[in-house]
Amino acid sequence: MSATGIAILASATEALEAAKRLAPGLSRRAAHYDHRGEFPAEDFAELREAGLLGLFVPQRLGGLGACYADYVAVALELGRAAGPTALIFNMHASMTGALASTPDALVRALGGSDQALRARDRLLTAALNGSLFAVAMSERGTGARLSELNTTYAREGDAFVLRGAKSFVSGAGHVDGYLVAARAQERNEPVVSYFFVPAGDGVRVEASWDSLGMRATASHDVAFDVHLPADALLGGVEGLALLLAQVMPQWLVASYAAVYVGVATAALEEAARQATTRGLGRLPALRARLGRADAEVAAARLCVLEAARAVDAAPGTPETNRAVWRAKLMAGDVAAAVASSMLEAIGASASRRGNPLERLYRDARCGALQPATSDVCADYLGLAALGADPNAGADEPRW
Ligand SMILES: Cc1cc2nc3c(=O)[nH]c(=O)nc-3n(C[C@H](O)[C@H](O)[C@H](O)COP(=O)(O)OP(=O)(O)OC[C@H]3O[C@@H](n4cnc5c(N)ncnc54)[C@H](O)[C@@H]3O)c2cc1C
């Protein structure tokens, strides 16, 4: 336990055990937060105290130094317990994971300075001490197409001015800071960079999130009008966003795949529970639905675990990146299909508000919609199957 009352995780096993220990509480509160469309504050108080916000912080800074597969194991558990909580956690993890896993040598080779590396370490240390971060990339109309962002930044002396409006910012208003993607003003070609913007002056949250599923993610709109110091530019290099999307797709494309496999697992388990309670297990058609769902969830899980193994063993290779895109496609499609089938298996009573399957169905529906959407993942994999370069071969830019 640190002086801040936050547990210090000594191993990946401890992190997974913490997630398993907290899961019943998350699961118990999920209906309440969904019903009210509220940020799951108690869940995050517990995740913070358990030390899970520092999962990716390297050992040299006093953290656990988790690998990608360690994160996936935790996210599968959290997603099974409470999808929205796992999704907000995923945004924090994708930012801290990307910061922690980009080698210093690569940052320097791209032109990053010692000042940028020190700024990165300060953010990771803050996460270890319980700070929670959000990702503010998407915009209304533009979605996650980085090259078309309307949020811009400009240099002002050795500082930056950043202005724009973001949408779908999970955790908005409840986090300590935002990773904001912005386009360089007055440049013809899209130069898209990441900035760290602390919550506070110049950051205005508009409580706009009222959605079909993942209602408890507080994914509100956020307007930014801020002056930032030079070291707010992450990596210390402009133009990193589009490059990272291609070479480290696990953070942008697939880190939430584990969340949605968790949600699909919960839908299957909940349907089996309700079928047992209601004596529906005697129906062959219902058993077949459960059986198919079991196989589909297991296949999606294996896909996600295989992608995680590949990311840790050989990050950025074409094979690894295909595994990453495959995992996102499988997770999004399987979650939606399994939750829909489980709702139908149990029948109309499962569609009533208050039935856990109704909530899981709505949450599961969101996986395929998050970028890269299932259609976009399938296009990437289709191009690769045709022997084309899946990054360069698409007619429409993906980012
Ligand atoms: C629950 C939830 C939480 C979220 N949290 C965050 C968050 O914390 N931070 C954040 O930045 N964003 C977040 N998002 C936003 C999300 O990541 C997307 O940016 C957003 O859903 C894009 O929405 P859009 O309506 O613009 O659709 P688009 O993604 O633009 O899609 C519209 C249609 O066009 C298709 N399409 C899109 N691009 C291509 C292409 N290149 N080629 C072919 N077809 C294409 C899609 O498949 C889809 O059919 C969240 C979304 C959800 C649902």
Side-chain angles (χ1 to χ4, degrees):
M1 186 79 68
S2 74
T4 50
I6 293 172
I8 296 169
L9 296 168
S11 67
T13 310
E14 270 188 33
L16 183 56
E17 277 168 3
K20 286 184 175 169
R21 190 178 72 248
L22 299 183
L26 268 57
S27 178
R28 219 172 22 251
R29 294 186 288 263
H32 165 83
Y33 286 121
D34 170 75
H35 179 66
R36 299 172 72 106
E38 250 175 44
F39 177 82
E42 284 168 275
D43 295 1
F44 276 90
E46 291 185 357
L47 294 178
R48 179 176 286 116
E49 199 182 333
L52 286 168
L53 300 186
L55 188 65
F56 275 120
V57 179
Q59 291 177 355
R60 68 184 171 77
L61 296 174
L64 166 59
C67 66
Y68 189 72
D70 299 334
Y71 158 73
V72 162
V74 167
L76 283 165
E77 283 303 321
L78 298 181
R80 181 175 162 217
T85 300
L87 194 57
I88 300 166
F89 179 73
N90 159 78
M91 298 301 169
H92 171 88
S94 64
M95 171 177 158
T96 51
L99 287 177
S101 65
T102 309
D104 288 11
L106 177 62
V107 175
R108 286 210 172 85
L110 292 168
S113 61
D114 286 347
Q115 184 193 31
L117 293 173
R118 281 195 299 274
R120 174 201 63 188
D121 285 355
R122 278 197 300 278
L123 286 176
L124 289 170
T125 303
L128 189 67
N129 291 329
S131 290
L132 177 66
F133 304 132
V135 173
M137 196 175 77
S138 305
E139 297 179 0
R140 285 189 185 232
T142 309
R145 274 178 295 283
L146 292 164
S147 53
E148 294 173 18
L149 293 181
N150 292 307
T151 298
T152 57
Y153 69 91
R155 279 190 185 273
E156 227 181 55
D158 61 356
F160 294 98
V161 181
L162 182 150
R163 291 195 181 99
K166 296 293 183 179
S167 61
F168 299 101
V169 184
S170 296
H174 301 272
V175 294
D176 300 285
Y178 300 83
L179 171 85
V180 183
R183 201 168 43 77
Q185 214 175 319
E186 293 163 8
R187 295 273 274 272
N188 289 333
E189 78 285 17
V191 174
V192 186
S193 307
Y194 284 129
F195 291 86
F196 178 75
V197 180
D201 288 349
V203 178
R204 190 170 44 79
V205 175
E206 196 187 309
S208 51
W209 184 244
D210 182 7
S211 66
L212 171 80
M214 292 291 184
R215 293 181 58 77
T217 52
S219 301
H220 301 305
D221 287 21
V222 184
F224 294 91
D225 186 350
V226 286
H227 285 72
L228 299 168
D231 65 5
L233 173 67
L234 292 181
V237 188
E238 292 183 64
L240 277 189
L242 288 162
L243 176 70
L244 291 183
Q246 286 195 8
V247 299
M248 293 186 181
Q250 62 271 25
W251 304 117
L252 207 54
V253 175
S255 57
Y256 25 60
V259 172
Y260 285 100
V261 172
V263 174
T265 308
L268 169 61
E269 291 172 347
E270 180 58 29
R273 196 188 64 73
Q274 293 189 27
T276 306
T277 309
R278 294 185 50 198
L280 299 174
R282 68 181 191 287
L283 302 172
L286 179 134
R287 289 198 301 271
R289 279 187 183 272
L290 290 178
R292 281 207 184 83
D294 172 77
E296 283 166 3
V297 171
R301 190 184 179 88
L302 286 175
C303 238
V304 167
L305 293 175
E306 169 55 20
R309 189 204 57 75
V311 164
D312 288 334
T317 66
E319 293 74 26
T320 295
N321 291 349
R322 270 210 304 281
V324 163
W325 286 79
R326 225 177 263 140
K328 173 61 177 62
L329 173 60
M330 283 288 285
D333 281 6
V334 163
V338 162
S340 173
S341 178
M342 295 301 90
L343 190 85
E344 203 166 331
I346 298 303
S349 65
S351 70
R352 283 214 171 102
R353 291 257 185 251
N355 187 304
L357 278 176
E358 183 266 345
R359 170 173 46 82
L360 291 165
Y361 171 77
R362 287 186 285 103
D363 286 349
R365 190 55 277 227
C366 294
L369 307 178
Q370 292 205 244
T373 64
S374 284
D375 284 348
V376 172
C377 289
D379 181 51
Y380 178 101
L381 292 166
L383 277 168
L386 289 167
D389 175 353
N391 284 314
D395 319 322
E396 276 293 313
R398 291 211 180 81
W399 303 110

